[in-house]
Amino acid sequence: QVQLVESGGGLVQPGGSLRLSCAASGSIFSIYTMGWYRQAPGKQRELVAAMPTGGSTNYADSVKGRFTISRDNAKNTVYLQMNSLKPEDTAVYYCNARIKTGYFGPIDDYWGQGTQVTVSS
C-alpha cells in the first residue's frame, strides 16, 4: 500500500503565498514522477506542475512564473510553492505520484486526499 499525505492548504488573500507539501509512504520501490493537480468547482481536474525523477519540470501556463515545484527525494516528498496567488487559483489541490511498488511490482498512479486552497479577500 502507498499513501500520499498532503498539507499546507488554506485561505489566503490575493497576492499572497502558500506552500503545499505531500509525503509518500508505504511500499515504495521507486518514484518516477510527483506532481500537483487541481480541481475547481464545476471544472475538470487539471495539471498544475509535475516533476519527473531526473527530468525537467512541467507547469500549466496559468501558473508559470508564480508557482514552483520541488522534491526531496530522500523524504519522498514534493512541494508546491505558490506565490502571487489569484482568486482563479482557488481549487482543491491533489498530489499525484507515479510509483513502482517492489522490484517486480506494477507502476501505478497514486493520489492524495486533496487540500483546499481558497484565494479571497
Side-chain angles (χ1 to χ4, degrees), residues 26-105:
S27 302
I28 298 171
F29 181 77
S30 60
I31 299 178
Y32 291 87
T33 300
M34 299 190 81
W36 293 92
Y37 288 71
R38 67 185 180 187
Q39 188 166 19
K43 294 187 177 181
Q44 289 188 332
R45 190 174 295 189
E46 63 175 359
L47 173 70
V48 177
M51 192 170 191
T53 300
S56 59
T57 56
N58 182 28
Y59 292 96
D61 288 342
S62 59
V63 307
K64 285 180 180 177
R66 300 188 298 121
F67 292 9
T68 302
I69 188 172
S70 60
R71 284 174 60 175
D72 184 336
N73 292 327
K75 297 181 179 179
N76 291 335
T77 299
V78 63
Y79 305 95
L80 186 68
Q81 178 66 44
M82 304 185 293
N83 299 327
S84 302
L85 282 160
K86 304 175 180 180
E88 51 262 44
D89 294 318
T90 296
V92 178
Y93 284 69
Y94 296 91
C95 175
N96 168 266
R98 181 157 292 180
I99 295 172
K100 183 177 177 67
T101 53
Y103 186 82
F104 296 108

Side-chain angles (χ1 to χ4, degrees), residues 9 54 67 86 91 112 115 118 121:
F67 292 9
K86 304 175 180 180
T115 184
T118 302
S121 55

Side-chain angles (χ1 to χ4, degrees), residues 16-30:
S17 298
L18 281 175
R19 189 189 192 213
L20 305 182
S21 301
C22 171
S25 63
S27 302
I28 298 171
F29 181 77
S30 60

